Amino acid sequence: MLNFKVKTENSVGERMFIYTLSSGAKCYIIPKYGFSQKQAVVSFNYGASDIKFKLNGEIFSQPMGTAHFLEHKMFQKEDKDYFTLFIKNGASSNAYTDANKTAYYFLCKENFYENFELLLRMVTEKYFEEKSVEREKGIIGQEIAMYDDDPNWIVYYNMLKRIYGKNPVANGIAGSRKSISEIDAKTLEVAYDAFYTPENMSIVVCGDVELESVCEIAEKILTKNVSNVKRAEYSKDGKVARNFIKKNMKLSKPVFNIGFKHFLGTNDVKKIYGYKMLLDIIAGESSHIYEAMVDRNMLTQPLGLQYVWGRNVSLSVFSGQSTEPRKIGNGIIREIARFKAKGISDDVFERIKRKHEGRFVRGFNGIDAICMGQTELCSINSDLFDAYEAIKCMEKDYIEELLSSFSIDRAVLSVVE
């Protein structure tokens, strides 16, 4: 009998079973008995910003886009294509890379254990052949070309570059045509050896599954393999040299991102979900400023609100479409100043708190929402139940403390018109 750590959240009627494998990988299993769909995610604490590191005494500086390139290549082996194998097994599979992690997943109704074994074998089987690497450059080059034509992509990364400068968190996930041209089989092998280890891996499973069977399969496939990799440190300076950047793409209606850089610190669920609540208070659909902007025909749809966090980033972003992005940016700055001066009212705080509690509870109805939400928290050794508890126990004083981290000196307005 395996010794699971069991967490229970009675208010949502859910349980989570956490188990650390002998290899060092950590499993989070959320049973959903009676559900037809089942999902598994394997993620590595390695993303697009991890381009400089030290491994076995040697310093490596890898091309932008290496983590994303490696994600593509993991599906292809010498004698098989894992996309095809998942399809034959009745599963849909995919993967994604962001600044801090790479995740591989599948969703199925049948053959879960066979697909779970496929997923683990795929990420533990190393195969990089030079000709196939060269072929992949053409595919990724086409993907980069699509990003280069996407105004939402451009407005976001222009903002990041202005805020974070040479910090690789500001690099596009896929890199550039030039950077991927420098990637070869050896580049991918070094990255794999450094970061694709069980101790750097998390497994999330959700659905009508047997706990012991999941862990037995993982124990069978994963073997202990410790890497001595050390990541590079980047500047934590909070200053922003220039707070406006614009690109002309002849759009009928400009798109914009307004980013506020916060000082880096410890990432924990209270901070993450506190910022999410604060952004909703400042400019959510029920906020004073959003209603005013709609009344003045400055906005026709809600603002995008995002708190971006990771090893080298802590950033609040307001995004949208408008013919008057500067006025919106100035309006948000004035609204932040108003909240700083007068504080957040009890009524506003309690209303937003109840909204986020309800949203979180509804998220437990979806297999994909559970898996992806938990995967986001694995890198800080936390879980969805911790997050829900943080929301329920959030204090107004703490939200107002986070509000003090917003400064015009660390803000950038990015516009594509």
Side-chain angles (χ1 to χ4, degrees):
M1 187 70 177
L2 298 177
N3 186 22
F4 290 98
K5 177 182 178 182
V6 184
K7 300 189 73 171
T8 302
E9 181 50 69
N10 293 325
S11 56
V12 294
E14 302 287 350
R15 286 193 300 169
M16 178 181 294
F17 296 81
I18 304 171
Y19 183 74
T20 301
L21 300 166
S22 60
S23 61
K26 201 165 185 178
C27 294
Y28 300 82
I29 306 171
I30 306 96
K32 297 292 283 187
Y33 300 119
F35 276 53
S36 61
Q37 289 189 322
K38 307 168 185 68
Q39 187 168 17
V41 185
V42 170
S43 63
F44 293 92
N45 191 21
Y46 165 61
S49 65
D50 295 310
I51 58 175
K52 293 183 180 180
F53 54 89
K54 188 175 183 180
L55 180 67
N56 299 328
E58 186 176 353
I59 296 173
F60 292 91
S61 182
Q62 297 200 308
M64 292 186 305
T66 297
H68 173 261
F69 204 117
L70 181 56
E71 171 217 309
H72 273 236
K73 291 304 300 171
M74 290 308 297
F75 285 90
Q76 303 166 3
K77 308 301 179 185
E78 183 175 15
D79 56 350
K80 53 185 170 290
D81 179 289
Y82 274 92
F83 270 123
T84 302
L85 294 177
F86 280 118
I87 291 170
K88 287 182 177 178
N89 243 8
S92 60
S93 63
N94 213 330
Y96 68 90
T97 303
D98 62 24
N100 297 291
K101 68 178 173 301
T102 308
Y104 303 84
Y105 60 95
F106 71 84
L107 184 69
C108 69
K109 290 185 177 180
E110 299 177 339
N111 305 317
F112 171 81
Y113 301 108
E114 293 88 338
N115 285 312
F116 183 56
E117 184 166 336
L118 278 180
L119 183 65
L120 293 178
R121 292 200 181 282
M122 181 183 79
V123 299
T124 54
E125 184 179 342
K126 182 169 63 173
Y127 174 73
F128 307 113
E129 192 269 330
E130 205 64 67
K131 288 183 179 178
S132 69
V133 171
E134 288 302 314
R135 285 196 300 270
E136 197 67 30
K137 290 179 182 179
I139 296 170
I140 296 177
Q142 292 174 355
E143 187 176 340
I144 292 170
M146 289 191 295
Y147 295 143
D148 289 343
D149 292 331
D150 183 347
N152 291 303
W153 186 267
I154 291 169
V155 77
Y156 179 71
Y157 278 98
N158 279 354
M159 175 195 65
L160 284 185
K161 288 172 186 174
R162 184 55 56 86
I163 290 177
Y164 284 104
K166 295 182 179 180
N167 187 321
V169 74
N171 298 334
I173 300 298
S176 65
R177 290 183 182 85
K178 182 179 184 302
S179 70
I180 66 167
S181 71
E182 301 168 0
I183 294 174
D184 57 19
K186 182 62 177 176
T187 307
L188 301 178
E189 186 172 4
V190 168
Y192 181 93
D193 289 344
F195 297 104
Y196 276 53
T197 59
E199 63 171 5
N200 202 39
M201 173 196 294
S202 296
I203 300 168
V204 179
V205 172
C206 184
D208 193 341
V209 299
E210 296 178 1
L211 308 176
E212 288 79 7
S213 297
V214 170
C215 293
E216 285 170 6
I217 291 170
E219 284 285 14
K220 177 179 71 174
I221 295 172
L222 302 177
T223 57
K224 195 168 185 65
N225 176 23
V226 178
S227 166
N228 62 2
V229 66
K230 185 175 181 180
R231 306 170 204 265
E233 295 288 333
Y234 295 97
S235 172
K236 296 178 174 60
D237 184 14
K239 296 179 181 178
V240 172
R242 290 176 292 171
N243 63 9
F244 180 70
I245 183 169
K246 182 174 74 172
K247 181 179 177 66
N248 189 353
M249 294 183 70
K250 298 181 180 179
L251 302 182
S252 58
K253 183 182 286 188
V255 296
F256 64 88
N257 275 198
I258 305 158
F260 289 84
K261 179 183 182 182
H262 309 299
F263 289 109
L264 296 178
T266 302
N267 289 315
D268 57 49
V269 290
K270 184 176 183 179
K271 177 181 175 183
I272 293 165
Y273 288 89
Y275 269 119
K276 290 182 178 184
M277 290 173 64
L278 177 55
L279 293 178
D280 206 358
I281 289 170
I282 294 169
E285 291 182 63
S286 62
S287 67
H288 167 77
I289 190 170
Y290 174 68
E291 292 176 358
M293 289 176 178
V294 170
D295 288 343
R296 295 170 190 168
N297 296 317
M298 294 166 64
L299 286 172
T300 57
Q301 56 187 6
L303 290 166
L305 307 172
Q306 183 182 14
Y307 176 62
V308 184
W309 59 277
R311 288 185 296 276
N312 297 306
V313 60
S314 179
L315 176 72
S316 291
V317 183
F318 304 85
S319 59
Q321 271 189 309
S322 176
T323 56
E324 300 183 277
R326 281 182 180 270
K327 288 185 178 179
I328 291 174
N330 289 333
I332 288 173
I333 288 170
R334 286 195 298 270
E335 188 72 352
I336 290 169
R338 185 178 73 85
F339 276 121
K340 283 183 176 181
K342 296 186 176 181
I344 300 167
S345 73
D346 291 341
D347 288 346
V348 168
F349 172 72
E350 290 299 332
R351 173 166 43 81
I352 296 301
K353 183 177 177 179
R354 288 194 300 271
K355 174 183 174 181
H356 283 250
E357 282 186 50
R359 178 188 294 168
F360 209 89
V361 170
R362 289 192 297 275
F364 277 98
N365 293 324
I367 297 289
D368 185 67
I370 292 171
C371 278
M372 295 309 170
Q374 179 55 52
T375 298
E376 287 296 311
L377 297 172
C378 286
S379 64
I380 56 173
N381 293 314
S382 195
D383 59 66
L384 290 170
F385 290 1
D386 294 334
Y388 185 54
E389 188 66 21
I391 294 171
K392 290 193 299 180
C393 298
M394 196 70 67
E395 314 99 344
K396 190 181 75 166
D397 288 349
Y398 180 74
I399 296 292
E400 291 179 335
E401 182 183 327
L402 295 180
L403 182 66
S404 67
S405 69
F406 283 77
S407 169
I408 192 171
D409 295 328
R410 298 192 300 274
V412 167
L413 170 62
S414 173
V415 178
V416 173
E417 59 182 21

